[in-house]
C-alpha cells in the first residue's frame, strides 16, 4: 500500500474518532478495528501498511479513554477487541500476499508452458506473413485445448489449427500429441493427406474412447496453390480485396481420432489475399442474450491494417460481444500472401499433382 493508499484507511479512522467525540452517548471505540480489516482486504493492502493502520487503530482506541471512561471494563474490552482485529487484519494481509506470489509463480509457469506448447508463429516465411492469437476461457490459465502451428517444409508451408474435445490437463496433453505429430509429419511427408493421417494415428493412440480433435490443415505452395483438409473443423475465410468468403471443403472428414483417411481440397490465393483460420470459440461466442457472434459483420476489420492489428480488432469485437467473458477457448491464425512470394524449387511437385482432391 502506497502513502496515498494509506490515506483512505487513516482518514476513515479519523472520521470514526471525530464521530466518537462529537456524538454523545455513543461509544464507537470498538469499531476502530474495522479500519485495519478493510485495509487488509483492499487491493493495496500490503502487510506493512496494514500493521501501520492497525497500530494507529489500537493507539486511537487507547486514547479514546480521554472522552470515555478510561480504564473501565468497557474501555478495556474495546481496546482488546481492536487489538485482536488488527492482528487478524495483519494475518489476512500476509496470507493474501503469499497467495498473490504463488499465483504469480503459477502464471509464470503457465506462460512458459504456453510458449513451449504454442510458440510464436513466424512473422514472415517464404513470402507469407503470419499472426496468431490465443485466448483461454479460464482467466486463471493460459493454456487450453485449442492449438495452431506453422511449419516450413520442403514440400511447402504447412499450417494447422485445431480444437481438442474437453478441457483441463487431458486436453492440454492431447494438444501436445497433435502438435508433436504435425511438426514431425509436416517435414517428412510431401502429401498433406499423409500429414493428416499421421496426426490422426497419434490421436487414436493417446485419446480416450470419446476423445477427438477437430483440425484444419493447410498446405501453401510457392505458386499460390492451396491444399486444405478439414477434419470436422470450420473452413478458413479467404479475404480477397473487398470480398470475404469461406473456402468450401468439397470432402470434409470426421475429426482426428475418428477418421483415418483424408482427401484434400485444392484452390488458390492471389498476392495480397489473406486467409483466416479459427476455432469454433469464435463463431460460437454468445452474448448475454445467447446470440452467436456474427463473424461476417466483422470481416471488414481484418483488411487494410497489419495482421496483428487485424486480429486485435477481431478479439476486441469478440470481447465486446460476450461482455469480456469467453465461455470457450479461442485460437486465431491469419496468413497473408505478400506481393512477391519467395519462389523455390520443390522436388515433390510431381507427387502433389498426382493426388486425388476436390476443387474449390
Amino acid at each position: 500500500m502506497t502513502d496515498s493508499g494509506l490515506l483512505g484507511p487513516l482518514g476513515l479512522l479519523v472520521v470514526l474518532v471525530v464521530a466518537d467525540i462529537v456524538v454523545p452517548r455513543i461509544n464507537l471505540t470498538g469499531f476502530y478495528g474495522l479500519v485495519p480489516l478493510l485495509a487488509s482486504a483492499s487491493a493495496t493492502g500490503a502487510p506493512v501498511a496494514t500493521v501501520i493502520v492497525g497500530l494507529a487503530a489500537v493507539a486511537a482506541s487507547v486514547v479514546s479513554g480521554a472522552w470515555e471512561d478510561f480504564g473501565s471494563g468497557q474501555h478495556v474490552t474495546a481496546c482488546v477487541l481492536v487489538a485482536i482485529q488488527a492482528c487478524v487484519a495483519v494475518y489476512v494481509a500476509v496470507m493474501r500476499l503469499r497467495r498473490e506470489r504463488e499465483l504469480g509463480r503459477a502464471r509464470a509457469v503457465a506462460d512458459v508452458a504456453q510458449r513451449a506448447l504454442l510458440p510464436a508463429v513466424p512473422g514472415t516465411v517464404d513470402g507469407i506473413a503470419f499472426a496468431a492469437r490465443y485466448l483461454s476461457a479460464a482467466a486463471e490459465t493460459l493454456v487450453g485445448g485449442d492449438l495452431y502451428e506453422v511449419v516450413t517444409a520442403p514440400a511447402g508451408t504447412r499450417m494447422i489449427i485445431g480444437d481438442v474435445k474437453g478441457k483441463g490437463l487431458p486436453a492440454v496433453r492431447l494438444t501436445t500429441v497433435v502438435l508433436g505429430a504435425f511438426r514431425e509429419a509436416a517435414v517428412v511427408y510431401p502429401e498433406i493427406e499423409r500429414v493428416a493421417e499421421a496426426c490422426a494415428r497419434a490421436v487414436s493412440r493417446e485419446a480416450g474412447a470419446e476423445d477427438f480433435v477437430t483440425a484444419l490443415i493447410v498446405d501453401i505452395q510457392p505458386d499460390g496453390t492451396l491444399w486444405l483438409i478439414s477434419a470436422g473443423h470450420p473452413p478458413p475465410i479467404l479475404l480477397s480485396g473487398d470480398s470475404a468468403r469461406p473456402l468450401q471443403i468439397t470432402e470434409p472428414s470426421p475429426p482426428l481420432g475418428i477418421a483415418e483417411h483424408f482427401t484434400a481440397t485444392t484452390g488458390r490465393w492471389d498476392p495480397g489475399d489473406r486467409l483466416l483460420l479459427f476455432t469454433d470459440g469464435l463463431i460460437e461466442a454468445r452474448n448475454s442474450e445467447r446470440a452467436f457472434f456474427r463473424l461476417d459483420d466483422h470481416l471488414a476489420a481484418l483488411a487494410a491494417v497489419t495482421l496483428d492489428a487485424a486480429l486485435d480488432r477481431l478479439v476486441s469485437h469478440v470481447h465486446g460481444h460476450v461482455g469480456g467473458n469467453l465461455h470457450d477457448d479461442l485460437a486465431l491464425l491469419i496468413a497473408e500472401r505478400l506481393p512477391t512470394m519467395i519462389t523455390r524449387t520443390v522436388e515433390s511437385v510431381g507427387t502433389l499433382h498426382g493426388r486425388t482432391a476436390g476443387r474449390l
Side-chain angles (χ1 to χ4, degrees):
M1 185 181 294
T2 62
D3 293 341
S4 59
L6 280 170
L7 294 179
L10 293 178
L12 176 60
L13 180 60
V14 170
V15 171
L16 288 174
V17 171
V18 172
D20 197 16
I21 295 173
V22 301
V23 178
R25 296 184 300 278
I26 296 181
N27 187 347
L28 299 177
T29 303
F31 292 96
Y32 295 178
L34 295 178
V35 177
L37 288 174
L38 292 174
S40 67
S42 69
T44 56
V48 174
T50 304
V51 169
I52 295 174
V53 175
L55 291 175
V58 172
S61 67
V62 174
V63 173
S64 69
W67 55 87
E68 305 291 349
D69 189 4
F70 185 84
S72 65
Q74 183 179 10
H75 178 245
V76 172
T77 300
C79 291
V80 171
L81 177 61
V82 172
I84 292 174
Q85 290 174 317
C87 291
V88 171
V90 172
Y91 174 79
V92 170
V94 170
M95 295 304 296
R96 174 177 175 169
L97 179 62
R98 181 179 301 175
R99 287 194 298 270
E100 288 176 349
R101 288 176 176 173
E102 291 175 351
L103 179 59
R105 288 193 292 268
R107 291 187 64 85
V109 171
D111 184 59
V112 172
Q114 185 190 37
R115 293 179 186 275
L117 187 62
L118 296 175
V121 299
T124 304
V125 172
D126 289 346
I128 309 169
F130 297 95
R133 294 291 185 275
Y134 187 96
L135 288 81
S136 176
E140 69 276 5
T141 63
L142 299 176
V143 183
D146 286 9
L147 58 97
Y148 58 79
E149 181 60 291
V150 176
V151 173
T152 302
T157 301
R158 272 80 185 271
M159 300 187 294
I160 186 174
I161 192 165
D163 187 355
V164 177
K165 176 182 177 292
K167 298 182 181 297
L169 291 178
V172 174
R173 182 184 62 82
L174 203 51
T175 296
T176 62
V177 169
V178 176
L179 288 175
F182 175 77
R183 288 163 180 161
E184 179 180 2
V187 298
V188 172
Y189 299 120
E191 305 90 355
I192 191 177
E193 295 92 341
R194 297 187 66 186
V195 175
E197 290 169 2
C199 294
R201 288 194 299 270
V203 172
S204 297
R205 287 194 303 267
E206 301 293 336
E210 298 182 357
D211 294 335
F212 60 83
V213 180
T214 68
L216 176 68
I217 302 175
V218 182
D219 179 285
I220 304 173
Q221 293 298 298
D223 63 355
T225 300
L226 299 173
W227 296 89
L228 307 97
I229 288 178
S230 172
H233 201 84
I237 303 295
L238 178 64
L239 304 161
S240 181
D242 296 330
S243 67
R245 62 182 177 89
L247 293 180
Q248 297 299 323
I249 307 297
T250 56
E251 295 188 51
S253 305
L256 305 178
I258 299 176
E260 297 181 354
H261 302 287
F262 304 88
T263 300
T265 298
T266 186
R268 290 190 59 83
W269 65 339
D270 297 321
D273 289 353
R274 293 181 175 183
L275 202 62
L276 174 67
L277 287 66
F278 55 90
T279 56
D280 59 11
L282 177 65
I283 55 178
E284 294 182 0
R286 297 177 183 239
N287 60 15
S288 58
E289 299 177 352
R290 307 298 295 168
F292 288 111
F293 180 76
R294 292 179 54 86
L295 178 58
D296 291 345
D297 295 342
H298 303 278
L299 292 176
L302 304 180
V305 293
T306 65
L307 297 184
D308 283 314
L311 292 187
D312 288 340
R313 285 183 178 182
L314 186 56
V315 168
S316 177
H317 292 165
V318 174
H319 277 304
H321 179 77
V322 301
N325 298 315
L326 289 173
H327 300 288
D328 192 9
D329 296 338
L330 169 59
L332 301 169
L333 178 60
I334 191 169
E336 178 180 0
R337 185 183 178 192
L338 300 179
T340 304
M341 286 188 71
I342 299 175
T343 60
R344 57 181 176 175
T345 302
V346 182
E347 297 178 355
S348 58
V349 168
T351 304
L352 295 175
H353 285 307
R355 300 184 299 193
T356 300
R359 188 77 184 174
L360 288 173

